[in-house]
């Protein structure tokens, strides 16, 4: 592995504080998503029919290498597009996690550093955030997306009309974040495994008022169904250093 590839393997632990994490999950027929994930990863499916691609928007605070004081950290908004997958490691353990398709951020510093220390394909975009009463809107012309949602009593929120899930408990399994994030170096035939840690994580359903994503449209040829939306707030989070396995 050359030096640049070694750097991209998430070589040190990172910590941050999540002010907010919003995840919108879309259901897609599994045959379409199976084409997008590299071996040795496998699609994580629901009812042996659906796969899922999610867009996550995370407002981070004091993101920094673990052990550094918080004031040396940086505040970023991060966008991640990912597919829910599984991977069987060398010990035979079935790990459930996410395969990153691409990432976006509102700061060039994050794009620069993110593309040195990960291969999550960061790009910088301008993100507009508007709040009116309890309705929150995030949108980006350059990013080609719009998320508008309403926070209210979770007991009053119903799943999107075309969701394949019967209830929010089923939907929660595909809300994320999952314990692991995977990258694949198909040239060197290696899998990079990054484990996330958090002390508390209880996503709450949100009512999605409007959602559009040019990237997901292109990815799925406009054949996706809105499955769920969740939010968490005020969570300390940590990513361990990446582990590399040959396959």
């Amino acid at each position: 592995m050359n030096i640049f590839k070694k750097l991209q393997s998430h070589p040190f632990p990172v910590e941050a504080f999540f002010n907010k994490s919003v995840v919108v999950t879309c259901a897609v027929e599994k045959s379409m998503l199976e084409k997008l994930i590299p071996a040795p990863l496998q699609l994580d499916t629901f009812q042996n029919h659906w796969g899922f691609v999610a867009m996550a928007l995370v407002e981070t605070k004091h993101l920094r290498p673990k052990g550094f004081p918080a004031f040396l950290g940086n505040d970023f908004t991060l966008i991640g597009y990912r597919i829910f997958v599984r991977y069987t490691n060398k010990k035979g353990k079935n790990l459930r996690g996410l395969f990153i398709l691409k990432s976006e951020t509102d700061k060039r510093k994050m794009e620069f550093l993110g593309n040195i220390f990960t291969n999550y394909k960061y790009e910088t975009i301008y993100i507009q955030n508007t709040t009116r009463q309890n309705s929150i809107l995030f949108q980006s012309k350059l990013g080609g997306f719009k998320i508008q949602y309403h926070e209210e009593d979770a007991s009053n929120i119903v799943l999107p009309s075309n969701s394949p899930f019967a209830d929010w408990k089923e939907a929660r399994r595909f809300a994320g974040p999952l314990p692991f994030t995977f990258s694949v170096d198909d040239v060197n035939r290696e899998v990079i495994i990054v484990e996330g840690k958090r002390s508390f994580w209880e996503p709450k359903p949100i009512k999605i008022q409007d959602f559009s994503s040019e990237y997901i449209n292109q990815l799925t040829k406009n054949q996706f169904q809105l499955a769920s939306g969740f939010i968490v707030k005020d969570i300390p989070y940590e990513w361990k250093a990446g582990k590399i396995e040959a396959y």
Side-chain angles (χ1 to χ4, degrees):
M1 177 181 286
N2 62 38
I3 293 176
F4 184 66
K5 284 291 185 183
K6 182 68 174 177
L7 284 175
Q8 281 192 314
S9 65
H10 210 286
F12 49 82
V14 174
E15 59 185 326
F17 187 83
F18 285 8
N19 289 335
K20 178 188 299 182
S21 175
V22 178
V23 177
V24 178
T25 302
C26 302
V28 186
E29 289 190 8
K30 69 175 187 177
S31 59
M32 184 167 291
L33 292 185
E34 283 173 334
K35 303 172 185 177
L36 302 176
I37 56 174
L41 305 181
Q42 295 183 327
L43 189 66
D44 190 14
T45 63
F46 179 69
Q47 297 178 339
N48 198 33
H49 179 79
W50 298 105
F52 297 93
V53 57
M55 177 182 177
L57 183 148
V58 185
E59 292 182 340
T60 68
K61 185 177 181 181
H62 302 320
L63 192 149
R64 64 203 185 276
K66 186 180 179 182
F68 280 42
F71 72 85
L72 292 179
N74 291 272
D75 303 345
F76 305 106
T77 298
L78 308 177
I79 304 286
Y81 294 90
R82 56 270 192 100
I83 295 175
F84 291 79
V85 297
R86 292 182 180 270
Y87 168 67
T88 303
N89 67 11
K90 290 296 185 182
K91 296 180 180 179
K93 187 174 181 179
N94 190 325
L95 306 180
R96 190 165 179 257
L98 301 166
F99 172 64
I100 305 296
L101 296 166
K102 78 165 187 171
S103 306
E104 296 167 332
T105 178
D106 62 340
K107 303 284 177 59
R108 292 194 180 279
K109 183 176 183 179
M110 183 63 214
E111 176 187 358
F112 176 74
L113 294 174
N115 287 333
I116 290 177
F117 296 115
T118 77
N119 58 1
Y120 294 167
K121 305 179 181 69
Y122 278 97
E123 298 176 359
T124 304
I125 60 173
Y126 173 71
I127 302 170
Q128 181 182 354
N129 180 7
T130 306
T131 301
R132 293 178 181 174
Q133 295 181 338
N134 288 330
S135 182
I136 297 94
L137 170 66
F138 288 94
Q139 60 184 343
S140 172
K141 184 175 181 180
L142 186 59
F145 70 80
K146 179 179 182 180
I147 303 172
Q148 186 171 10
Y149 64 92
H150 191 278
E151 291 188 55
E152 57 185 57
D153 184 352
S155 63
N156 295 327
I157 301 176
V158 298
L159 285 159
S161 58
N162 290 324
S163 175
F165 302 124
D167 52 42
W168 287 106
K169 183 178 180 181
E170 284 187 347
R172 172 65 185 86
R173 291 184 55 239
F174 293 91
L178 297 186
F180 300 96
T181 301
F182 306 106
S183 304
V184 176
D185 179 353
D186 53 7
V187 174
N188 294 298
R189 295 182 60 82
E190 293 175 329
V191 179
I192 299 102
I193 307 163
V194 178
E195 184 176 356
K197 291 180 60 181
R198 72 274 187 183
S199 57
F200 178 78
W201 193 272
E202 188 176 340
K204 298 184 182 301
I206 53 175
K207 180 180 180 180
I208 302 172
Q209 298 169 302
D210 194 3
F211 175 74
S212 61
S213 166
E214 293 176 7
Y215 180 71
I216 294 179
N217 282 348
Q218 295 168 3
L219 199 70
T220 66
K221 299 180 181 178
N222 236 358
Q223 298 178 44
F224 71 89
Q225 297 175 198
L226 199 58
S228 68
F230 285 93
I231 188 170
V232 293
K233 294 182 178 180
D234 303 326
I235 302 293
Y237 201 85
E238 176 188 332
W239 295 268
K240 294 182 179 182
K243 294 182 178 180
I244 301 171
E245 283 195 357
Y247 70 91

